[in-house]
Each structure stands twice: as C-alpha cells, then as structure tokens.
Amino acid sequence: MTGQPAAADSEDRRGAPRAGATPGRPLLPGQPGRPDVFTFGETMVALRGSGPLKLGGTMNVSIAGAESNVAIGLARLGHDVRWAGAVGEDEAGQLVLRTLRAEGVGVSGASTDPGAPTGLLLFEPRLPEVTRVHYYRAGSAGSRIGADVIQRAFSAAPPRVLHLTGITPSLSPTARAAARLALQLARESGSLVCLDVNFRARLWTAEAAAEVLREWIPFVDVLIASDDELPLCLPGGGGGEGSPGGGEGSQGATGANEGLRTEGAGAGMGAEGADGGMARWASEQEEATASGRAGACGDAAPVPPQEVAGDPAAAVAAQARLLLDQGVGEVVVKLGAEGATAFTHGGSLHQPAKPVRAVDAVGAGDAFVAGYLSALLDGEGPAGRLERAVTTGAFAVASSGDWEGAPTRAELGMLGAPPGTVVR
C-alpha cells in the first residue's frame, strides 16, 4: 500500500521542502506494473554460528545482502519492490530466490550463473558483543552482474525509486558498469535515486570508493550515510595512507575476506552493559570493520574551520551543505545511538533513536533505509520519513538476523507499547 506522490511543484531543487514533498524531484506516479522500488546487488547465503568456528557446533542458515535486506523491509511494509542480482546455479542460489519470493519481493529480473557459485557469509560470535564476519565472495555469481540485467528492468517498467548502495560497485568492473547504467536510466526515466553509501573497507579503499561516489552524486536525490561516510562523497574526498582498506587495493573482493563486527555496547549503541540492558539502535554497523570505522573519512574536501572546531555536528552540517550544493535533494545522516538528521535546502531536522533492548545490530542500517523510503513513497515529509526510519531500525536491533525482524505496517506502533504488553 503506497501513498499518493507529491505534486510536481511541491519542492524546487533550491527551495525549502514542504510537508509531504519529495526530495529534489517529484515521484513518478504509481501505476500498475511500475514497481515502487527497484534495487540490485549481491545476496549471499549466511551461516550464523553459535561460537568459534574452529570448534564446530551448529549453524543457522539464512540469506544476507544490503539491497535485498532493504527490499524485504519495503515488501513487509506493503510496497511493490523488485530485486535483481545473479546467483549460482546451485542450492544456495535457490535458497536466495525462494526466500525473496516468500517475502513478496519480485525476482523476475534475477538470473542464475552456471559458471560461478553463490557467495557465502559466515558470522562467528566471538565475544558477547563482538562478532567476526568471514566472506567468501570472490568470483561469485553476484559479483558478475551485468548491465543487461539493468537494461531489461528499466525497459519493462521504470521504478519510482532506484535504490543503490556503495557495495555493488566495489564487487567488480561489470557490477560498477551496471550501477552506472542504472543511474543513467533512472535520470532518463524520471526515477528518484536513493544511494546508501555503505562503505566496506574489506572490498575497496576509501580512495577508490570516493572516486566512484563523487561521479554518482549529481544523479542522487536522497543520500544516506553515516557521519564518517559523508566525506567520501565530497568533491576531493578520498582515502590516503592509513585509510580503511588502504592496503588491500581497489579491485574488489579478493578471497575469503574477513571483517570484525561489534554488537551490543561495542557497536556504539549506548547499551548499559553486557547484560542486554536497554540500548539505542546503531544505524550503521553491518559488515563494517572495527578498524575501518574511525578512518573512513580519508582526506576529504575541506570544511570551513570556524564551523568544525570542536563541533562534530557543525562539521556534518557543513559537509551536508556541500553535498546539497552538488545537487543532492536530501542528505540523511545516520548517527547511531544519537538517531539521524536529514538536511535539505530548507534546513535540517533531527530524530532521536528509539530505545530498545539490543539483540543484534546486524541489518539496522538497511532497515533504516527501508523505513525511510517507505515513508517517502507514502508522501510523508522529512519528519515522517525519519520517524519511520528510526522505528524500523529499532525493530532490526531488537531481533536476530539481517532482515528477519523487519516489521509489517501493522506492527510499526508496537514499539510504544509498555514492557510486558501481550497483543491478543
């Protein structure tokens, strides 16, 4: 169920947004056959262990992928969403497609690749609040997605919103070319473009990411990023010596990549301790390395010193203004335990995080994006978009898994229920 699009004159590219306005450009009208959202990328089989992998034990089997996580979140909220990607001609690939179909995500644009396997992702809980992540995705089917998949999707029905992440272009030159084509086709068809930066230090360097993201920025209507990812999008942004992933090159995945994920209090969620006390959701933790988070900014474009001296919030605001001046319609900054802030040409709006009992920080950023796009499609203004985004993010943190805790539309109000509530 989607809301009516904002009127075509509801917001000028250089004007202040009115309530219900879409960022930068109006949404295409909803019509039969036209998906609300189209997204694409790699989705892998995810195995979640109960402890150190070298000791064996049991594992839960699921799927995981930033774009498909967002797609599932949107489908549960009642939107028509399509996902395209490539999986191997194997049982793992069938699990990916079967799961997405079961969640109501359209996969007619997906393909199977007989020459490459479906990627694999292993989660290894190592401490109560620290999880190691192991990737086996080099040469996977998902990394070989081609531009023909994108051309077919737009020829069939241009979406109202194209959702991209910074993960897909890091996988291979062909994936990067496919994403670039999607941006061009979105511009030609009038589709809004949402980009979630999702920087992954294990896949490419900050310098390589900045080169691609700077090229993409003129096409972007809604930019979503954590505060330390913003500089990657700025003119002149990039990584230098010591930047995350700087020693791994920019050729994409290079084998059984390994990352370290922190969860609970270790994820910056404001948890009260290792006893699982109340916590606020961390909007960006998935697949981030512990060493990479602090340096993701690299040597970005300068911000006026009078605006940043001892004031991180002023630095973020100044960076957001630079991106707005580059033509982005709206910049949404995820601030972890502090919530999120949306910046437009009309000003900024902050939304605090929702307090929840932390279970698993995985997938919170993708759930945030799903909630934000859902409210955008419903014609909500910035306040309504942020409110739904932090709500869906909180649901993700309160549940195990990348996407399993994503709420339905009817469940959105459950976070306000007092402790011990039983819904009958």
Side-chain angles (χ1 to χ4, degrees):
M1 174 180 176
T2 60
Q4 294 299 314
D9 62 350
S10 61
E11 180 184 353
D12 179 77
R13 175 64 77 175
R14 290 292 178 263
R18 301 172 187 168
T22 55
R25 293 183 292 124
L27 279 168
L28 291 171
Q31 64 182 42
R34 171 179 288 164
D36 291 326
V37 177
F38 169 68
T39 188
F40 65 97
E42 180 173 27
T43 297
M44 299 166 283
V45 167
L47 302 181
R48 299 176 183 276
S50 55
L53 290 176
K54 64 185 178 183
L55 300 182
T58 60
M59 305 194 83
N60 292 324
V61 183
S62 185
I63 68 169
E67 298 84 6
S68 57
N69 292 344
V70 172
I72 290 172
L74 283 163
R76 288 195 179 180
L77 292 169
H79 300 283
D80 182 353
V81 56
R82 314 283 173 85
W83 174 87
V87 297
E89 202 171 77
D90 48 33
E91 292 298 299
Q94 290 303 305
L95 173 63
V96 169
L97 298 179
R98 180 178 181 273
T99 302
L100 292 176
R101 287 193 196 99
E103 289 294 329
V105 176
V107 294
S108 60
S111 61
T112 57
D113 185 340
T118 302
L120 177 64
L121 178 64
L122 301 180
F123 295 95
E124 180 189 17
R126 199 60 192 86
L127 293 170
E129 294 164 355
V130 178
T131 295
R132 285 197 292 218
V133 182
H134 308 266
Y135 302 96
Y136 299 85
R137 65 196 305 177
S140 66
S143 70
R144 290 163 39 145
I145 187 172
D148 56 324
V149 172
I150 309 306
Q151 187 70 60
R152 288 197 300 270
F154 274 85
S155 297
R160 300 173 71 194
V161 177
L162 167 68
H163 174 61
L164 296 176
T165 77
I167 298 174
T168 299
S170 73
L171 298 178
S172 68
T174 57
R176 194 171 309 153
R180 188 61 173 78
L181 176 62
L183 289 170
Q184 294 174 336
L185 294 176
R187 171 66 58 87
E188 294 170 5
S189 65
S191 304
L192 287 182
V193 174
C194 173
L195 170 63
D196 184 2
V197 173
N198 253 333
F199 176 68
R200 297 292 181 260
R202 291 287 176 172
L203 296 181
W204 55 353
T205 66
E207 185 176 55
E211 182 179 355
V212 171
L213 294 170
R214 287 199 306 268
E215 180 189 353
W216 286 12
I217 285 300
F219 295 88
V220 175
D221 295 287
V222 180
L223 177 69
I224 301 178
S226 57
D227 53 352
D228 62 349
E229 291 173 334
L230 277 183
L232 296 176
C233 305
L234 297 174
E241 198 72 30
S243 63
E248 294 183 10
S250 59
Q251 70 272 26
T254 55
N257 298 320
E258 226 177 274
L260 178 69
R261 172 178 296 153
T262 56
E263 300 183 7
M269 296 173 61
E272 295 176 355
D275 59 355
M278 294 299 291
R280 291 183 180 272
W281 66 273
S283 60
E284 177 50 46
Q285 283 297 325
E286 185 188 4
E287 295 180 11
T289 62
S291 61
R293 301 297 294 163
C297 294
D299 50 352
V303 176
Q306 67 271 20
E307 296 195 72
V308 303
D311 191 347
V316 168
Q319 292 163 358
R321 286 197 295 272
L322 288 174
L323 290 164
L324 293 170
D325 289 341
Q326 292 292 307
V328 178
E330 184 167 355
V331 179
V332 184
V333 183
K334 299 178 289 186
L335 299 170
E338 301 303 317
T341 302
F343 297 88
T344 71
H345 292 285
S348 64
L349 181 66
H350 180 74
Q351 174 66 48
K354 299 282 186 179
V356 295
R357 185 176 295 276
V359 174
D360 188 351
V362 177
D366 301 328
F368 178 97
V369 174
Y372 200 88
L373 290 180
S374 171
L376 172 64
L377 289 161
D378 285 352
E380 296 282 349
R385 299 197 283 267
L386 284 173
E387 168 67 23
R388 190 173 301 178
V390 298
T391 299
T392 51
F395 268 92
V397 166
S399 308
S400 298
D402 277 66
W403 51 268
E404 284 82 350
T408 64
R409 189 172 291 259
E411 292 172 331
L412 287 173
M414 292 179 66
L415 282 183
T421 297
V422 177
V423 180
R424 301 183 186 277

